[in-house]
mmCIF file of all heavy atoms in Angstrom:
data_model
loop_
_atom_site.group_PDB
_atom_site.id
_atom_site.type_symbol
_atom_site.label_atom_id
_atom_site.label_comp_id
_atom_site.label_asym_id
_atom_site.label_seq_id
_atom_site.Cartn_x
_atom_site.Cartn_y
_atom_site.Cartn_z
ATOM 1 N N SER A 875 68.725 71.776 159.540
ATOM 2 C CA SER A 875 67.707 70.941 160.303
ATOM 3 C C SER A 875 66.866 70.023 159.448
ATOM 4 O O SER A 875 66.634 70.385 158.281
ATOM 5 C CB SER A 875 66.728 71.824 161.094
ATOM 6 O OG SER A 875 67.417 72.733 161.961
ATOM 7 N N ALA A 876 66.514 68.918 159.986
ATOM 8 C CA ALA A 876 65.693 67.991 159.266
ATOM 9 C C ALA A 876 64.308 68.424 159.042
ATOM 10 O O ALA A 876 63.518 68.240 158.101
ATOM 11 C CB ALA A 876 65.675 66.573 159.987
ATOM 12 N N GLY A 877 63.776 69.046 160.113
ATOM 13 C CA GLY A 877 62.434 69.490 160.103
ATOM 14 C C GLY A 877 62.351 71.105 160.145
ATOM 15 O O GLY A 877 63.298 71.652 159.681
ATOM 16 N N HIS A 878 61.159 71.633 160.348
ATOM 17 C CA HIS A 878 60.939 73.066 160.234
ATOM 18 C C HIS A 878 61.251 73.666 161.675
ATOM 19 O O HIS A 878 61.203 72.988 162.751
ATOM 20 C CB HIS A 878 59.482 73.390 159.968
ATOM 21 C CG HIS A 878 59.061 72.945 158.690
ATOM 22 N ND1 HIS A 878 59.326 73.598 157.444
ATOM 23 C CD2 HIS A 878 58.440 71.677 158.276
ATOM 24 C CE1 HIS A 878 58.899 72.924 156.467
ATOM 25 N NE2 HIS A 878 58.427 71.908 156.762
ATOM 26 N N VAL A 879 61.674 74.962 161.624
ATOM 27 C CA VAL A 879 61.978 75.738 162.863
ATOM 28 C C VAL A 879 61.039 76.949 162.867
ATOM 29 O O VAL A 879 61.183 77.745 162.080
ATOM 30 C CB VAL A 879 63.448 76.148 162.757
ATOM 31 C CG1 VAL A 879 63.786 76.915 164.005
ATOM 32 C CG2 VAL A 879 64.363 74.888 162.587
ATOM 33 N N PHE A 880 60.301 77.022 163.905
ATOM 34 C CA PHE A 880 59.186 77.954 163.945
ATOM 35 C C PHE A 880 59.586 79.003 165.103
ATOM 36 O O PHE A 880 59.836 78.682 166.086
ATOM 37 C CB PHE A 880 57.872 77.424 164.310
ATOM 38 C CG PHE A 880 57.260 76.473 163.238
ATOM 39 C CD1 PHE A 880 57.436 75.025 163.440
ATOM 40 C CD2 PHE A 880 56.856 77.033 162.063
ATOM 41 C CE1 PHE A 880 56.887 74.280 162.524
ATOM 42 C CE2 PHE A 880 56.328 76.140 161.113
ATOM 43 C CZ PHE A 880 56.299 74.724 161.232
ATOM 44 N N LEU A 881 59.578 80.207 164.685
ATOM 45 C CA LEU A 881 59.794 81.389 165.633
ATOM 46 C C LEU A 881 58.437 81.911 166.031
ATOM 47 O O LEU A 881 57.534 82.053 165.315
ATOM 48 C CB LEU A 881 60.536 82.520 164.901
ATOM 49 C CG LEU A 881 60.595 83.803 165.617
ATOM 50 C CD1 LEU A 881 61.406 83.758 167.039
ATOM 51 C CD2 LEU A 881 61.153 85.013 164.776
ATOM 52 N N HIS A 882 58.329 81.950 167.359
ATOM 53 C CA HIS A 882 56.977 82.426 168.087
ATOM 54 C C HIS A 882 57.179 83.803 168.165
ATOM 55 O O HIS A 882 57.980 84.457 168.863
ATOM 56 C CB HIS A 882 56.909 81.752 169.361
ATOM 57 C CG HIS A 882 56.620 80.269 169.425
ATOM 58 N ND1 HIS A 882 55.491 79.693 169.767
ATOM 59 C CD2 HIS A 882 57.511 79.233 169.123
ATOM 60 C CE1 HIS A 882 55.626 78.395 169.623
ATOM 61 N NE2 HIS A 882 56.895 78.131 169.252
ATOM 62 N N LEU A 883 56.283 84.542 167.528
ATOM 63 C CA LEU A 883 56.342 86.034 167.475
ATOM 64 C C LEU A 883 55.591 86.558 168.722
ATOM 65 O O LEU A 883 54.590 85.681 169.271
ATOM 66 C CB LEU A 883 55.616 86.590 166.067
ATOM 67 C CG LEU A 883 56.416 86.293 164.884
ATOM 68 C CD1 LEU A 883 55.711 86.830 163.727
ATOM 69 C CD2 LEU A 883 57.800 86.892 165.020
ATOM 70 N N PRO A 884 55.580 87.726 169.172
ATOM 71 C CA PRO A 884 54.898 88.310 170.213
ATOM 72 C C PRO A 884 53.313 88.149 170.184
ATOM 73 O O PRO A 884 52.692 88.097 171.329
ATOM 74 C CB PRO A 884 55.322 89.674 170.424
ATOM 75 C CG PRO A 884 56.589 89.799 169.759
ATOM 76 C CD PRO A 884 56.541 88.728 168.662
ATOM 77 N N ASP A 885 52.857 88.175 169.026
ATOM 78 C CA ASP A 885 51.336 88.038 168.915
ATOM 79 C C ASP A 885 50.900 86.666 168.757
ATOM 80 O O ASP A 885 49.768 86.341 168.379
ATOM 81 C CB ASP A 885 50.855 88.819 167.701
ATOM 82 C CG ASP A 885 51.353 88.328 166.415
ATOM 83 O OD1 ASP A 885 52.245 87.324 166.358
ATOM 84 O OD2 ASP A 885 50.904 88.940 165.397
ATOM 85 N N ASP A 886 51.726 85.664 169.108
ATOM 86 C CA ASP A 886 51.462 84.281 169.250
ATOM 87 C C ASP A 886 51.391 83.568 167.749
ATOM 88 O O ASP A 886 50.920 82.384 167.652
ATOM 89 C CB ASP A 886 50.240 83.881 170.080
ATOM 90 C CG ASP A 886 50.508 84.100 171.559
ATOM 91 O OD1 ASP A 886 51.685 83.875 171.999
ATOM 92 O OD2 ASP A 886 49.592 84.441 172.135
ATOM 93 N N THR A 887 51.819 84.218 166.745
ATOM 94 C CA THR A 887 51.887 83.686 165.442
ATOM 95 C C THR A 887 53.120 82.971 165.206
ATOM 96 O O THR A 887 54.202 83.279 166.072
ATOM 97 C CB THR A 887 51.701 84.603 164.283
ATOM 98 O OG1 THR A 887 52.657 85.683 164.435
ATOM 99 C CG2 THR A 887 50.235 85.213 164.199
ATOM 100 N N LEU A 888 53.219 81.975 164.357
ATOM 101 C CA LEU A 888 54.473 81.249 164.191
ATOM 102 C C LEU A 888 54.955 81.525 162.698
ATOM 103 O O LEU A 888 54.199 81.733 161.832
ATOM 104 C CB LEU A 888 54.187 79.758 164.121
ATOM 105 C CG LEU A 888 53.711 79.210 165.532
ATOM 106 C CD1 LEU A 888 53.347 77.578 165.401
ATOM 107 C CD2 LEU A 888 54.688 79.463 166.619
ATOM 108 N N VAL A 889 56.338 81.746 162.581
ATOM 109 C CA VAL A 889 56.920 81.935 161.359
ATOM 110 C C VAL A 889 58.001 80.828 161.154
ATOM 111 O O VAL A 889 58.754 80.560 162.074
ATOM 112 C CB VAL A 889 57.635 83.317 161.280
ATOM 113 C CG1 VAL A 889 58.296 83.638 160.035
ATOM 114 C CG2 VAL A 889 56.675 84.363 161.672
ATOM 115 N N ASP A 890 57.952 80.111 160.014
ATOM 116 C CA ASP A 890 58.908 79.040 159.740
ATOM 117 C C ASP A 890 60.179 79.779 159.229
ATOM 118 O O ASP A 890 60.340 80.155 158.109
ATOM 119 C CB ASP A 890 58.409 78.218 158.594
ATOM 120 C CG ASP A 890 59.199 76.988 158.372
ATOM 121 O OD1 ASP A 890 60.328 76.962 158.937
ATOM 122 O OD2 ASP A 890 58.732 76.050 157.601
ATOM 123 N N VAL A 891 61.118 79.689 160.101
ATOM 124 C CA VAL A 891 62.532 80.408 159.885
ATOM 125 C C VAL A 891 63.198 79.686 158.702
ATOM 126 O O VAL A 891 63.936 80.304 157.958
ATOM 127 C CB VAL A 891 63.401 80.443 161.045
ATOM 128 C CG1 VAL A 891 64.642 81.200 160.858
ATOM 129 C CG2 VAL A 891 62.636 81.199 162.183
ATOM 130 N N LYS A 892 62.995 78.338 158.629
ATOM 131 C CA LYS A 892 63.676 77.660 157.733
ATOM 132 C C LYS A 892 63.309 77.917 156.272
ATOM 133 O O LYS A 892 64.082 77.972 155.330
ATOM 134 C CB LYS A 892 63.558 76.146 157.870
ATOM 135 C CG LYS A 892 64.384 75.286 156.946
ATOM 136 C CD LYS A 892 64.280 73.751 157.433
ATOM 137 C CE LYS A 892 65.111 72.941 156.511
ATOM 138 N NZ LYS A 892 65.159 71.578 156.937
ATOM 139 N N GLU A 893 61.978 78.183 156.032
ATOM 140 C CA GLU A 893 61.383 78.476 154.733
ATOM 141 C C GLU A 893 61.236 79.990 154.421
ATOM 142 O O GLU A 893 61.122 80.311 153.298
ATOM 143 C CB GLU A 893 60.123 77.831 154.657
ATOM 144 C CG GLU A 893 60.169 76.183 154.699
ATOM 145 C CD GLU A 893 61.026 75.481 153.711
ATOM 146 O OE1 GLU A 893 60.985 75.962 152.540
ATOM 147 O OE2 GLU A 893 61.658 74.489 154.003
ATOM 148 N N ASP A 894 61.035 80.740 155.432
ATOM 149 C CA ASP A 894 60.793 82.194 155.228
ATOM 150 C C ASP A 894 61.873 83.143 155.275
ATOM 151 O O ASP A 894 62.390 83.308 156.402
ATOM 152 C CB ASP A 894 59.675 82.509 156.276
ATOM 153 C CG ASP A 894 59.110 83.946 156.010
ATOM 154 O OD1 ASP A 894 59.766 84.773 155.461
ATOM 155 O OD2 ASP A 894 57.935 84.188 156.514
ATOM 156 N N HIS A 895 62.320 83.603 154.086
ATOM 157 C CA HIS A 895 63.590 84.514 154.118
ATOM 158 C C HIS A 895 63.350 85.839 154.830
ATOM 159 O O HIS A 895 64.236 86.316 155.280
ATOM 160 C CB HIS A 895 63.980 84.734 152.635
ATOM 161 C CG HIS A 895 64.376 83.445 152.027
ATOM 162 N ND1 HIS A 895 65.502 82.852 152.231
ATOM 163 C CD2 HIS A 895 63.777 82.677 151.069
ATOM 164 C CE1 HIS A 895 65.731 81.718 151.493
ATOM 165 N NE2 HIS A 895 64.577 81.543 150.816
ATOM 166 N N THR A 896 62.124 86.316 154.804
ATOM 167 C CA THR A 896 61.734 87.477 155.552
ATOM 168 C C THR A 896 62.081 87.186 157.142
ATOM 169 O O THR A 896 62.493 88.113 157.789
ATOM 170 C CB THR A 896 60.342 87.972 155.301
ATOM 171 O OG1 THR A 896 60.127 88.136 153.935
ATOM 172 C CG2 THR A 896 60.073 89.236 156.186
#
Side-chain angles (χ1 to χ4, degrees):
S875 295
H878 296 277
V879 179
F880 298 103
L881 170 63
H882 295 249
L883 297 177
D885 65 356
D886 291 327
T887 59
L888 299 177
V889 180
D890 186 351
V891 179
K892 187 172 181 178
E893 301 294 329
D894 188 335
H895 296 288
T896 302

